[in-house]
Amino acid sequence: MATILFLGAGATQQLISLQGQRCANFSMSLLNYPFRVINVTLYNPECVYPFQVDPQAISTQDPIDGSPISADIIWTKLLKQLPAQIDILFVIDASLWELAQKIKAIPAYRNTPLVVDLSNQGDIPEALNQADHVFVSSERLFDAAKRQGVSTTSLIRDGVRAHQIDNYFLIKWKARLPRYPWTLSILPESSSAAYEYAITSFGGSLGCLPIDSRAVFLGGDPYVLTKKFKECTFGELNVSRLQTLGVLPESDCAAVTQLCPVFALGDFSGDEHFSITAQALYSQARIVAYRSNFIGFESYLGSERIVLVDNASQFRAALRSALTQTLWRPSRSEAIAFHEQQYSLSAAACFREVPRILLNLLGKS
């Protein structure tokens, strides 16, 4: 059985973020294959915190808490957690490139294949062509890796994790969400740019929504987003038609998504926000989206539930129209095609090539 060490870094909310889900998807794709998975995550990066993402994963040691510690102490503690043999070193955060090189300098791991996922990259390592394989989540990153001379690059979209929703969560969120038709927008990240894009998409005003409807936002900081909407010309009106949920655990997100009548996909790049468009298509909601969100999704167009727009004026008009229509549900003749579409968007489909790629890599090492 081959040992794969996943090495990552992130904030304490990583496990419920897109980055954390991507890491879990990599690990889950290896179930039923001859891999032993070890996950070690450097948080903040003040401490070493190993976590277990699936029944076959091996938890290393208890979390290391306390006050911030030096890089040397982190390295010493990390060394104690490294297994005697690592068959593949899998770096899930490009910022840890130098740390991976430090591990590779240890004689026992010198010939260990190095795999890097660039989905959470900051600066792409200049020596990226030293990696044995690179995974990316978008066409832009694929092109960037190729420009740096990496011939072994695979595009693995994030996909949607199929989630069995407990009735408890549906009842819980039915009580908390608006009683009248509402729209759902997902913020891809907590940044000023993401908030500005969200507001610009609506043209600065939620006046297009019926009085009793709401624009519900999932992700980001509720306080900051509310403040940004309030600072607009129609600030008070915006706040009266706004509901912010912030970052939620996966079970809650799944329930909110299932209850959503209308997905509102703002003016984001489809290449950068593949997972959000995939979630909208995976749901049974009507979809109003800027055309940029469907770059790479052209094969999914044609359904009457999808309306594409090019500007804020069209976006508001389409949302207003969608909120007055009945809930969309696939007809009997559409049901089989819809379920096939759901599978094609799932994490299981998107990550199905990962085990084969890693097995091939082991065969070459």
Side-chain angles (χ1 to χ4, degrees):
M1 183 169 285
T3 298
I4 300 181
L5 177 68
F6 282 90
L7 186 64
T12 54
Q13 291 181 328
Q14 179 182 358
L15 292 180
I16 57 176
S17 69
L18 291 178
Q19 178 195 351
Q21 291 174 23
R22 184 170 174 84
C23 172
N25 286 336
F26 273 118
S27 291
M28 292 296 288
S29 72
L30 303 179
L31 286 171
N32 304 317
Y33 287 88
F35 293 110
R36 183 177 68 147
V37 177
I38 297 177
N39 293 278
V40 176
T41 298
L42 303 179
Y43 277 112
N44 292 328
E46 296 173 353
C47 59
V48 178
Y49 187 100
F51 61 90
Q52 187 167 334
V53 297
D54 65 64
Q56 292 189 4
I58 297 175
S59 180
T60 50
Q61 296 178 2
D62 292 333
I64 302 170
D65 324 293
S67 56
I69 51 181
S70 70
D72 288 340
I73 293 177
I74 291 176
W75 172 245
T76 300
K77 291 182 180 292
L78 179 59
L79 281 177
K80 293 178 180 178
Q81 299 183 64
L82 295 178
Q85 167 131 0
I86 302 175
D87 295 291
I88 294 178
L89 177 57
F90 198 132
V91 181
I92 58 174
D93 192 304
S95 67
L96 296 177
W97 173 266
E98 291 184 6
L99 184 59
Q101 296 299 310
K102 198 171 180 179
I103 293 174
K104 287 269 291 177
I106 298 172
Y109 311 126
R110 188 163 293 151
N111 297 319
T112 299
L114 174 61
V115 176
V116 181
D117 180 46
L118 290 183
S119 66
N120 191 48
Q121 99 297 340
D123 294 326
I124 297 177
E126 290 184 7
L128 188 64
N129 57 4
Q130 295 177 15
D132 295 281
H133 202 91
V134 174
F135 289 110
V136 296
S137 59
S138 72
E139 296 285 355
R140 182 181 64 82
L141 292 174
F142 186 87
D143 292 340
K146 289 295 186 182
R147 283 197 301 271
Q148 295 203 208
V150 183
S151 58
T152 52
T153 303
S154 298
L155 174 58
I156 303 294
R157 302 285 195 181
D158 287 328
V160 179
R161 293 182 68 182
H163 199 281
Q164 198 69 28
I165 305 173
D166 191 293
N167 201 45
Y168 163 79
F169 292 99
L170 291 175
I171 294 173
K172 168 186 172 180
W173 283 103
K174 276 183 181 178
R176 296 186 181 186
L177 292 165
R179 293 177 56 195
Y180 296 93
W182 48 279
T183 69
L184 177 65
S185 296
I186 298 178
L187 289 175
E189 56 187 322
S190 295
S191 69
S192 295
Y195 301 134
E196 295 300 332
Y197 276 127
I199 293 170
T200 302
S201 298
F202 283 87
S205 172
L206 300 180
C208 61
L209 305 180
I211 294 174
D212 295 316
S213 294
R214 297 288 183 273
V216 178
F217 281 84
L218 183 59
D221 184 322
Y223 172 78
V224 174
L225 183 60
T226 301
K227 183 173 180 289
K228 293 281 187 183
F229 266 109
K230 193 171 184 177
E231 291 171 351
C232 296
T233 303
F234 303 99
E236 295 300 328
L237 182 148
N238 288 344
V239 173
S240 72
R241 298 183 186 180
L242 177 67
Q243 184 172 348
T244 54
L245 305 181
V247 178
L248 296 177
E250 191 173 12
S251 295
D252 294 273
C253 290
V256 171
T257 301
Q258 180 161 318
L259 293 169
C260 167
V262 179
F263 251 101
L265 304 185
D267 190 13
F268 296 112
S269 163
D271 184 62
E272 287 299 300
H273 304 276
F274 178 96
S275 60
I276 297 176
T277 304
Q279 286 181 64
L281 285 168
Y282 195 88
S283 75
Q284 294 190 45
R286 293 186 179 279
I287 301 170
V288 176
Y290 276 75
R291 201 170 301 277
S292 59
N293 281 282
F294 272 78
I295 296 173
F297 287 93
E298 290 80 4
S299 62
Y300 296 94
L301 296 174
S303 170
E304 58 93 16
R305 72 167 173 146
I306 303 171
V307 177
L308 300 187
V309 302
D310 296 301
N311 54 55
S313 177
Q314 293 177 5
F315 190 61
R316 292 196 299 265
L319 284 178
R320 185 164 54 246
S321 174
L323 288 168
T324 64
Q325 298 180 48
T326 57
L327 292 174
W328 181 85
R329 290 295 180 265
S331 65
R332 183 172 298 179
S333 61
E334 294 173 320
I336 294 177
F338 178 69
H339 289 308
E340 290 176 349
Q341 172 182 292
Q342 282 188 311
Y343 176 72
S344 71
L345 294 163
S346 69
C350 292
F351 284 75
R352 64 187 170 190
E353 287 298 304
V354 171
R356 181 189 61 79
I357 292 169
L358 297 185
L359 287 170
N360 287 343
L361 192 60
L362 286 173
K364 295 176 182 178
S365 63

